[in-house]
Amino acid sequence: MVNLDLIHNRKSVRKFKSTEIPREDILELIKAGTEAPSPKHQQNWHFVVLQNRDIINEMAEIVTKSHENIGSLAKNEKDFKKHMSVIKYYTSFKNAPVVILVYACEYDMIEYKILKENDAPKEVLDVLVSPQSGAQGIGAAVENILLAATEMGYGSCYMTGPTHAKTEIENLIGFNKEGYELMSMISIGVPDENTPPKPPRKPLEDVVTFID
């Protein structure tokens, strides 16, 4: 039987020890990310590594403020409580010794250009971009990093929630590369003892359809 423990053992870790991560290990993780499949081989990713505790803490404060501002707009108490209940997950990166910010540039689609120049209707163009190929490539790179972290004995957590404060985070970080914007982040570190178990997945019969 094929050993897939590498995949099955991966889980989201949100509590870490203060142990520093060697730079060579961080680079090995990112190298694994760059080996991911990339639509049209555009490799539209860039990785910004944060280890400065003050910057990470300030980023958590930015996300908290943004989250609270959104919550204040809720029309009822139920929505407010549901929204605020996840803030601890959106800011859990503040506990990590390393946070990798994943940036991406626009995915270039020659077919979109051709159709648009021929006045294709909006519904046709919308169908073309609906698979979000660029974002799928970023997700594949992130998953490689998560699996590599598991194999190397580190804990990790993939987050897109904090990007509701994307503009403020980008301004804080000050990373400037034309056309690139923040897509997600990954917290990485030596996991604390007794981290919660991986939540159960849906049964295969609920998510698989065979068409013979």
Side-chain angles (χ1 to χ4, degrees):
M1 179 178 290
V2 177
N3 188 339
L4 297 179
D5 287 348
L6 168 67
I7 294 173
H8 298 304
N9 290 338
R10 187 219 60 81
K11 66 177 183 178
S12 294
V13 174
R14 298 180 176 87
K15 291 185 178 181
F16 305 92
K17 297 180 179 180
S18 59
T19 310
E20 292 188 5
I21 308 299
R23 176 165 290 198
E24 56 266 29
D25 284 3
I26 298 172
L27 289 173
E28 193 67 30
L29 293 172
I30 294 175
K31 181 180 179 182
T34 65
E35 293 290 344
S38 175
K40 290 191 176 70
H41 200 53
Q42 291 185 22
Q43 304 177 75
N44 63 319
W45 45 58
H46 192 97
F47 306 93
V48 176
V49 180
L50 296 182
Q51 295 175 281
N52 184 295
R53 178 52 44 198
D54 292 336
I55 294 177
I56 292 173
N57 286 337
E58 188 172 351
M59 188 164 66
E61 291 175 5
I62 286 172
V63 174
T64 297
K65 183 177 179 180
S66 174
H67 204 85
E68 291 172 345
N69 287 340
I70 294 172
S72 69
L73 302 175
K75 299 298 185 184
N76 57 70
E77 186 68 13
K78 180 181 178 182
D79 288 349
F80 173 77
K81 288 183 176 180
K82 183 177 180 180
H83 173 74
M84 295 306 296
S85 69
V86 299
I87 192 170
K88 62 183 178 181
Y89 301 111
Y90 285 24
T91 57
S92 64
F93 60 83
K94 68 184 178 182
N95 301 310
V98 175
V99 180
I100 300 176
L101 302 184
V102 187
Y103 284 71
C105 63
E106 185 177 357
Y107 176 69
D108 183 33
M109 300 183 71
I110 184 60
E111 54 269 51
Y112 185 93
K113 179 177 183 293
I114 291 171
L115 289 172
K116 189 173 178 62
E117 288 177 349
N118 283 275
D119 300 319
K122 182 178 181 299
E123 54 268 27
V124 172
L125 296 175
D126 287 347
V127 168
L128 189 65
V129 300
S130 63
Q132 302 181 49
S133 299
Q136 290 202 49
I138 296 300
V142 170
E143 178 69 358
N144 271 18
I145 292 173
L146 303 180
L147 294 176
T150 301
E151 180 68 11
M152 294 170 68
Y154 294 119
S156 62
C157 188
Y158 177 23
M159 291 166 286
T160 58
T163 58
H164 60 52
K166 173 162 48 177
T167 300
E168 294 88 348
I169 292 173
E170 289 176 342
N171 290 337
L172 170 68
I173 302 307
F175 167 71
N176 294 305
K177 187 172 184 176
E178 187 175 356
Y180 282 76
E181 64 177 337
L182 179 65
M183 291 285 286
S184 60
M185 60 179 67
I186 311 165
S187 53
I188 294 176
V190 176
D192 202 0
E193 284 86 1
N194 302 317
T195 56
K198 184 176 185 176
R201 266 37 188 178
K202 294 179 180 179
L204 284 180
E205 56 267 27
D206 289 353
V207 298
V208 178
T209 299
F210 284 93
I211 299 178
D212 297 322

